[in-house]
Amino acid sequence: MRSSNTASKRRKRLDLGKSADLGRNPHTIAADAANVAASGVPPGNGEGSQSRRGRVISVSWGEYTRQIGIDGTSAAIKEAIRVAFRLRTKRLFWLEDEEHTIRTIDRGMPIGNYTLHIDEGLAIQICQFDEFEDLPIITEDKIFYTQDDFHDFLVGRSWICLQEYDSNRNIDNMDDLRPGVLYRGVRRG
């Protein structure tokens, strides 16, 4: 009986120790102590909390807001944003701060609140023609987001470029496309 009584007293002492650290993981406590020793800033609310979490920005897109760590490379930060907002395309995006300044996405960006903007793409119209009478058959709206999208579209239709309907100007680079202009595909030879 005496041994169970001793075990009970030990358990109470351990429980008292746990209540002092509010049930936190002992590894976290050790990490906090190491952070205090290294930085001289105690953990908790405010700046100490920020240093423990690393550099974090708040990014909003529509109704959604996510906290994004910016301690990594530019590529890693961009990937974290893509994952956080479930962006599954290659569309370009950028961040704008509360003063409407577009910021580079890197670890040196100021801590703050940002709005995520996603490229709406370049919308054009493509007309398919009757090969024998050169009359329009179907007009299709198409949006391109990247040069690769544009190139894949041309290759998929066996076209070498697009041609502006009114000016006969050939376009083989997405940067030369103009929104709202009517185009048609041009085949080899």
Side-chain angles (χ1 to χ4, degrees):
M1 279 259 206
R2 187 170 187 178
S3 64
S4 67
N5 219 0
T6 306
S8 175
K9 286 181 185 178
R10 281 189 201 147
R11 200 173 315 119
K12 284 182 184 176
R13 271 190 244 146
L14 289 175
D15 289 344
L16 288 175
K18 272 189 178 178
S19 64
D21 69 38
L22 302 175
R24 291 173 47 190
N25 183 332
H27 298 293
T28 304
I29 296 167
D32 286 346
N35 286 339
V36 170
S39 68
V41 179
N45 293 334
E47 195 63 37
S49 174
Q50 183 69 18
S51 67
R52 190 173 82 232
R53 288 179 33 198
R55 293 179 42 84
V56 176
I57 60 172
S58 178
V59 178
S60 298
W61 183 47
E63 299 174 12
Y64 302 101
T65 300
R66 299 288 186 263
Q67 302 298 311
I68 307 291
I70 59 168
D71 290 323
T73 64
S74 294
I77 296 167
K78 289 175 185 176
E79 187 61 24
I81 292 169
R82 285 189 186 283
V83 169
F85 290 99
R86 296 182 179 167
L87 303 177
R88 301 194 193 296
T89 66
K90 293 185 263 181
R91 292 169 65 178
L92 299 175
F93 62 88
W94 60 95
L95 298 179
E96 185 177 294
D97 68 15
E98 294 172 320
E99 296 173 1
H100 306 289
T101 302
I102 297 171
R103 295 290 183 171
T104 58
I105 300 174
D106 62 22
R107 67 177 62 179
M109 63 192 303
I111 302 297
N113 299 317
Y114 293 88
T115 302
L116 175 66
H117 295 275
I118 299 176
D119 182 15
E120 295 178 5
L122 179 64
I124 63 169
Q125 288 187 326
I126 300 171
C127 194
Q128 294 183 21
F129 289 84
D130 181 328
E131 293 180 30
F132 302 108
E133 297 183 24
D134 202 33
L135 296 173
I137 300 175
I138 300 171
T139 301
E140 163 187 8
D141 292 331
K142 184 67 182 165
I143 299 175
F144 297 110
Y145 299 103
T146 66
Q147 178 65 32
D148 289 342
D149 292 342
F150 179 65
H151 176 74
D152 292 346
F153 177 78
L154 293 176
V155 169
R157 297 194 177 199
S158 301
W159 293 344
I160 57 170
C161 64
L162 293 179
Q163 185 179 71
E164 289 183 0
Y165 180 68
D166 291 338
S167 72
N168 293 329
R169 189 178 93 155
N170 289 342
I171 308 296
D172 62 358
N173 186 341
M174 183 181 155
D175 291 336
D176 295 331
L177 292 172
R178 296 183 298 154
V181 172
L182 184 62
Y183 293 93
R184 66 171 154 192
V186 176
R187 295 189 190 277
R188 293 191 201 285

